[in-house]
Amino acid sequence: MLSYSDARQKVVDVAGAIRRPFHREIIEIEQAFGRILAAQVNADRDYPPFDRSVRDGFAVRSADASAAGARLDCIGELKAGGSFSRVVGPGQCVEIMTGAGVPKGADAVVMVEYTKREGRTIALERAVKAGEHIVPRGNEARSGSLLVPAKTRMGYAEMALAAQAGATRLQVFAKPSLAILSTGDEVVDARSTPGPLQVRNSNGISIEILARTAGADPIQMGNAPDEKTALRAAIERGLERDILVLSGGVSMGKYDLVEQVLADLGAEFHYTGVAIRPGRPAVFGTCRNKLVFGLPGNPVSTMVTFELFVLPAIDVFSGAPPRPLPIFRAKLATSVNEKGSLVHFLPARIEWEGKEARVSQLAWQGSGDVVALASANGFLVVGPEQPEIAAGELADVLPRRGAI
Ligand code: AMP
Ligand code: MG
């Protein structure tokens, strides 16, 4: 059986090899958070566009102030956005504010904190070096140079940079479409009242949120019964999207029909199990040139396997490099012992004491226990290479998306 990292790599390879058009669209910059840039943004001019003072103080000629104690004649004032037509001559200075252009003749700025004013005369308490507190024109970026490359995931800093360059309409890749299909005779809509032995569909909402926050455009297809004809019809509709995510029906039970129906539809399976718990029966295939994920229906299994396997597919189909799993190390509060050949993803609470992350495993009733997962903000990841970890030792943890 594949390890979860090999299974992720498989997803990336298969998704990358699928031939499908990458549609593009133009959007307003405010809509661009999390979107993948399709056309790079270039600098429309030099940045900074002028020699910029980065302190409030006095623009001086450094040659006048190579030692502390210089006394200069202040010939004017420059605020941000203001212009100054005169040249700063020997023995002269200009009062200047942060963000203003350094006047001709001056080559350094002395912070106001290190000066004393006596009428028009400014006494400098420190020596000044050429270039001090000035960012020269073009030192951040040259006009025409690349600011934000294509395939960048737009975050607030990239958006600010695009705004700075006046790129307020951005060309991005279209979001991959993702169909969500729950399966199971016992599953009813979350808005309905279940019979005594029925359960409400909770996977629909967790998958939708995971998909949307990952950058896909999800649509709900409801629930299909554990019956081949109806299941097949629902799957065929789901295959109209770029990615079909099914929950339930992939285990060994007599009514776990997802794999059979997919096989009947000509699916090629890339894996039908991964060495993890929860989530071992997870299935990944291609069918009609679309990606299909059969996630086990137990809600915690569904969420873990979506995070591990569907997210990288969304990244690749979004036109971006797949994001790594943000696993980090935290100090274990109480010992764990999870023998066996599987990697366990155990609901856990991660807290920080100063800079030190500490993790405690939460009591849970297995992969159906959404109650436990909702009070967890991450998973303790325990693999066969170190099945026993004592309290106080470091362990791998995976944050629960959006919970930290
Ligand atoms: P399955 O993977 O179909 O064997 O289902 C495993 C468990 O998950 C069963 O207890 C199901 O009732 C439950 N389950 C399946 N689908 C859902 C769903 N959409 N929402 C909540 N629980 C589900
Ligand atoms: Mg089922």
Side-chain angles (χ1 to χ4, degrees), residues 15 20 35-36 63 97 108 115 123 125 165 167 216 219 225 244 254-255 270 296-297 319 325 365-366 372 374 383:
R20 59 184 279 280
R35 301 298 300 269
I36 311 301
M97 315 299 153
T115 64
E125 295 169 353
I219 73 147
L244 169 60
K254 202 167 151 191
Y255 297 99
H270 306 293
L325 265 190
Q365 303 300 316

Side-chain angles (χ1 to χ4, degrees), residues 75-96:
I75 60 166
E77 176 192 286
L78 252 178
K79 54 183 183 178
S83 60
F84 193 79
S85 50
R86 294 164 62 192
V87 176
V88 180
Q92 295 181 330
C93 68
V94 170
E95 187 170 13
I96 194 166

Side-chain angles (χ1 to χ4, degrees), residues 182-183 186-187 199-203 247-251 256 296-299:
S182 152
T183 72
E186 77 285 22
V187 179
V199 297
R200 293 193 183 91
N201 179 0
S202 68
N203 291 337
S247 79
V250 289
S251 306
D256 288 326
N298 261 315

Side-chain angles (χ1 to χ4, degrees), residues 120-142:
R120 265 178 65 127
T121 302
I122 307 301
L124 309 188
E125 295 169 353
R126 296 203 167 178
V128 179
K129 283 197 227 74
E132 216 169 318
H133 302 316
I134 295 174
V135 180
R137 173 176 178 159
N139 258 30
E140 292 165 355
R142 289 276 169 210

